[in-house]
Amino acid sequence: EPINAVMTNCTLTGNSASGFGGGVCFGTVNNCALIGNSANAGGGAADSTLNNCTLTANSASFGGGADYSILSNCTLSGNSSSMYGGGAYQGTLNNCALTGNRAVFGGGAYEGTLNNCAMAGNSASSFGGGACSCLLNNCTLTGNSVPGIHGLGGGVYGGTLNNCIVYYNTANTGPNYSSGAYFSLALNYCCTTPLPDSGSGNITAEPQLASASHISPTSPCRGAGSAAYATGVDIDGEPWLSPPSIGCDEFTTGAETGALTVAITASWTNVVVGYATDLMGL
């Protein structure tokens, strides 16, 4: 695999390493696709900086997608780890989407820092379907799971969460969040259920999502976060308002102006009185 490389608009597929970085190690990677690579740590990348990249179906014991790396505006999907961090192990992720990754501990991420990230459909066989022992700021975790009767923390297991949505996750114990003796948990200005025993500004109302990661105009998460934890821009690259919304998405009304034009077509143009016809907007 490349070491200390600078790569732009490249595809790295099917590479392997017995140690670190199946796709790349100690590199800077821009607008690249890392697919099906493997290593002991960092199946896709290790100790690297990745910008606007996709990491898909990579595998490792530590960090199926990436290990000890800095990722910005990246998509991590379908990566796997036989131990820790299906998507990422440690490192820092900014404005990333993590979907369908899996591991024993931390299906999406393990012991990392994630800012403005969306985590959906990740799974773990033991702890933390979405994340385990991570620092999460303005993240949205939905549809993550820890299947089985011993599953703990479908959304998160341990860690610190600020301005996060943790809803609609599943596990036998703690569907949305859970903690243990060695994995303490703190939530502030989060939308989740049940209401945490401690922490400030948490709410339990349903987030009223428009998608797995975006809030709707009527969401109780709008303006319910704390500016102390909001950094950078939201997952769409839009600025945070003051106060910011909870989750990875800041709802911003459209800036379009001018006249509204509507066109309608009918399934039939000539019908007898009383015959039903469909009208469709264009």
Side-chain angles (χ1 to χ4, degrees), residues 17-21 37-44 58-67 79-89 102-106 110:
S18 59
F20 302 91
N37 304 288
S38 63
N40 180 56
N58 302 287
S59 61
S61 297
F62 298 83
D67 172 75
N79 302 287
S80 62
S81 167
S82 59
M83 288 297 292
Y84 304 101
Y89 178 79
R102 62 189 187 278
V104 177
F105 306 99
Y110 184 91

Side-chain angles (χ1 to χ4, degrees), residues 97-122:
L98 296 85
T99 61
N101 303 288
R102 62 189 187 278
V104 177
F105 306 99
Y110 184 91
E111 288 189 347
T113 297
L114 289 82
N115 303 306
N116 319 319
C117 292
M119 309 176 73
N122 303 287

